[in-house]
Amino acid sequence: MPSPRRLLAGLQTVRVWVVLGVLAPLGMLLVSGLMLYELRQEMWTRAEETSNSLLQVIESDIVRNVEIMDLALQGMAAKIENPVVAAAPEGLRHLILFDRVVTAEGMGILVLFDEHGNGVLNSRYPSGVGGSFADRDYFQVHLRNPEAGLYISKPFQSRMSGAYTVAFSRRVSKPDGSFGGVVVATMKLSHLTQMLAKIGLGPDSSINLARQDGIRIVRFPYDVRDVGMDLSGMPTFRRAVQERNGSFADRAARDGVHRLFTFTQVGDLPLILAIGLSTEEIEAGWRAKALMIGATLLALFGLAVWLALLCARELRRREAVEAELARLSLTDGLTGLPNRRRFDEALRQALATARSDRPVALLIVDADHFKRFNDRYGHAVGDEILRGLARCLSAGLHRPGDLLCRIGGEEFGVILAGTDEEGAMRVAERLHAAVTTLAVASIGLPAGAVTVSIGLAEAAGGAQGELYRAADAALYAAKSAGRNRTCRAEARPAIPHLRLVAGAGVVRAFSGEADAGSS
């Protein structure tokens, strides 16, 4: 037999090897974690560079389109301010203003409005179509502010084409410098979305174009509900306006998706362009590698500690499973009450310890007309009623030793150890009173609509089957006598002879042959 000192030395050696076996893969985990962190940072840097490149491409396209439209507007304003052009016939003015002007489908139309907001000349539609446009923000801005320059309107739905559109406008002055109208070039939002769709972002990424005052012009992927939305109160937009260009990661208020936002001011225009790349998409490749490396290292780590923990883990798992199975085998899944198996065991134990001076009382409780509730409202409401009955009946029992069980369907059993018939009757009355409080709000069922019938029997010992049959026969007598009452069997019967006794909600029945009908 080895000495205690040698045994202790052996244990210490095993401990050293266990520690080494754990520290080795743990060190690999730490080193690999640092490498994965560096790889993640590299992916984020690459995503920012990609976003900036995309921003430059989109910004360049927008600036070029706006410059083309602004040149057309400036040319129109200069021509219409010429007295010779202003005095020319409408057909000649139309030719002068719109000759060689690019008006592709996506680019919308060019319009000259007079000082009253009426369309004097239109590159596509007849003059005067659509009525007065004096209510448009682009008209009001130039009317009030001679120095407004190029104005980019809020997005709106065109009265002529019905398409959602944004307008670019400039003021027209009369020879005396007073307000002479507005020249407008419109661009359909569909043109912008087609431009943005070429970028090829992932499904959870987005592109936003908004004015500096927070009015969103367009968002891609396109949703008409996003058009014209005010973003000025959102922290992400306020940050973009304040910093003018940059990037940050945050969760979008619109859909809750976490994104890397890269933003910039569009040239010298009062526009903010932002690309939001989903962080899930950015880190998708990194996460795949991290998962593979982490899984491999965790497997090594698990092997190092597997032998030491296997037995204890399996024993704990077995004990937990056995305890859960034991609990489930004695519990009703719907109401959470003890089930029929627990009821039979408890009744057998109670009868085994019963004496003549400490009998056992048994109450069999059955919901009245339960089938009608099930047929009318469905099984879900029926289940809700059963759960409510379980709560009410539990509330009617005051002693810790009294046991309420669900013994099948809408039937419950109450075992009252050390209780005679009179005491059981008082408990039954409490149960009736408790059930009157049950209401089912989901179907508008008021309190008192659900009632129960109760069969009562007592015994000082003997077979549990006899006591159960006596209580069950009393229950059927209560059903036959009109329900919502308690019927008690003759005290301590060997064979259940029952007799009817008039009473306030209580019937003593002597004939077990009565037909109870439906429950």
Side-chain angles (χ1 to χ4, degrees):
M1 182 177 180
S3 65
R5 180 175 297 178
R6 183 174 299 176
L7 181 61
L8 181 60
L11 290 175
Q12 290 174 343
T13 302
V14 171
R15 183 178 301 170
V16 168
W17 281 107
V18 170
V19 170
L20 289 176
V22 171
L23 287 179
L26 185 60
M28 294 175 63
L29 281 173
L30 292 175
V31 172
S32 300
L34 290 174
M35 294 175 61
L36 288 173
Y37 176 77
E38 293 294 333
L39 180 61
R40 181 176 180 271
Q41 293 300 107
E42 182 181 340
M43 287 190 172
W44 274 80
T45 301
R46 192 156 51 240
E48 290 183 14
E49 292 174 352
T50 301
S51 295
N52 280 315
S53 298
L54 293 176
L55 274 180
Q56 292 176 11
V57 172
I58 300 172
E59 179 190 8
S60 176
D61 284 346
I62 293 175
V63 169
R64 184 171 61 253
N65 278 275
V66 174
E67 285 179 348
I68 292 173
M69 301 181 81
D70 191 28
L71 287 173
L73 291 175
Q74 292 183 51
M76 286 177 61
K79 291 175 183 178
I80 201 64
E81 289 173 357
N82 187 315
V84 176
V85 176
E90 180 178 332
L92 181 58
R93 282 190 298 160
H94 190 282
L95 181 63
I96 295 171
L97 291 177
F98 303 129
D99 183 37
R100 297 182 181 181
V101 173
V102 178
T103 56
E105 180 66 23
M107 299 299 290
I109 58 176
L110 296 174
V111 188
L112 169 64
F113 294 102
D114 63 16
E115 65 269 28
H116 304 295
N118 298 313
V120 178
L121 290 174
N122 191 308
S123 64
R124 182 171 300 162
Y125 298 100
S127 299
V129 67
S132 174
F133 288 78
D135 59 324
R136 295 294 194 191
D137 62 328
Y138 54 77
F139 187 88
Q140 292 295 323
V141 165
H142 291 296
L143 176 64
R144 295 191 299 266
N145 182 11
E147 306 300 327
L150 176 66
Y151 176 75
I152 302 174
S153 75
K154 298 179 181 180
F156 57 89
Q157 188 172 16
S158 173
R159 295 173 186 169
M160 290 174 280
S161 67
Y164 282 92
T165 306
V166 63
F168 301 84
S169 58
R170 279 189 175 274
R171 176 188 174 103
V172 175
S173 299
K174 293 181 178 180
D176 61 359
S178 63
F179 179 66
V182 178
V183 286
V184 175
T186 66
M187 178 185 291
K188 294 181 180 179
L189 297 190
S190 59
H191 179 74
L192 289 172
T193 56
Q194 290 171 7
M195 181 193 309
L196 300 179
K198 298 176 183 179
I199 301 301
L201 298 179
D204 288 329
S205 298
S206 66
I207 305 176
N208 278 279
L209 179 64
R211 304 195 318 179
Q212 283 189 334
D213 61 357
I215 300 301
R216 175 188 279 153
I217 295 176
V218 69
R219 179 185 186 274
F220 184 82
Y222 180 75
D223 188 332
V224 70
R225 294 172 295 181
D226 295 323
V227 175
M229 182 178 291
D230 187 357
L231 308 178
S232 59
M234 296 184 180
T236 52
F237 182 80
R238 291 201 299 267
R239 180 172 177 178
V241 172
Q242 182 179 1
E243 298 179 12
R244 299 177 67 87
N245 59 76
S247 63
F248 60 89
D250 203 348
R251 194 167 298 278
R254 180 187 181 275
D255 52 16
V257 176
H258 197 270
R259 295 187 175 95
L260 171 64
F261 292 99
T262 307
F263 57 91
T264 187
Q265 181 176 342
V266 180
D268 295 328
L269 303 173
L271 298 175
I272 297 294
L273 177 66
I275 292 181
L277 296 182
S278 167
T279 55
E280 289 284 341
E281 297 170 6
I282 293 174
E283 297 181 351
W286 173 81
R287 288 181 180 177
K289 294 180 181 179
L291 181 62
M292 181 182 65
I293 296 173
T296 302
L297 293 175
L298 285 175
L300 293 175
F301 186 81
L303 286 175
V305 298
W306 177 70
L307 291 176
L309 300 177
L310 180 61
C311 292
R313 185 188 64 183
E314 291 300 323
L315 286 175
R316 286 195 298 270
R317 181 181 296 174
R318 181 178 300 176
E319 290 174 357
V321 170
E322 290 175 352
E324 181 65 13
L325 289 175
R327 185 188 69 81
L328 291 175
S329 68
L330 299 175
T331 303
D332 174 58
L334 176 64
T335 63
L337 296 176
N339 61 11
R340 180 60 182 264
R341 180 179 176 186
R342 177 71 180 97
F343 172 80
D344 291 340
E345 292 178 359
L347 184 58
R348 183 170 56 252
Q349 293 172 1
L351 288 171
T353 58
R355 305 192 307 268
S356 58
D357 59 336
R358 292 185 59 80
V360 175
L362 175 63
L363 303 178
I364 303 297
V365 184
D366 189 88
D368 295 330
H369 302 298
F370 182 73
K371 186 175 184 300
R372 295 183 186 177
F373 292 117
N374 250 353
D375 293 344
R376 182 174 181 181
Y377 300 109
H379 290 287
V381 173
D383 290 346
E384 188 175 352
I385 291 174
L386 290 176
R387 286 190 290 267
L389 281 174
R391 292 192 300 271
C392 293
L393 295 175
S394 297
L397 299 178
H398 297 166
R399 298 189 307 175
D402 297 340
L403 181 65
L404 170 65
C405 305
R406 184 187 177 201
I407 55 180
E410 65 271 24
E411 195 170 80
F412 300 83
V414 181
I415 301 173
L416 305 172
T419 304
D420 58 16
E421 188 177 84
E422 296 305 319
M425 281 301 305
R426 290 192 292 271
V427 174
E429 291 171 1
R430 289 204 303 268
L431 296 183
H432 280 295
V435 171
T436 60
T437 65
L438 175 60
V440 183
S442 62
I443 59 171
L445 197 66
V450 179
T451 62
V452 295
S453 298
I454 302 176
L456 183 156
E458 67 150 319
Q464 67 183 65
E466 295 177 357
L467 180 60
Y468 182 86
R469 283 191 292 273
D472 196 51
L475 171 64
Y476 273 85
K479 294 283 187 180
S480 299
R483 299 181 177 84
N484 192 22
R485 64 195 65 223
T486 297
C487 180
R488 48 187 175 181
E490 189 169 325
R492 305 183 186 179
I495 299 177
H497 297 290
L498 309 172
R499 53 194 178 88
L500 292 170
V501 177
V506 178
V507 177
R508 187 185 296 275
F510 64 90
S511 173
E513 299 175 357
D515 181 11
S518 65
S519 63

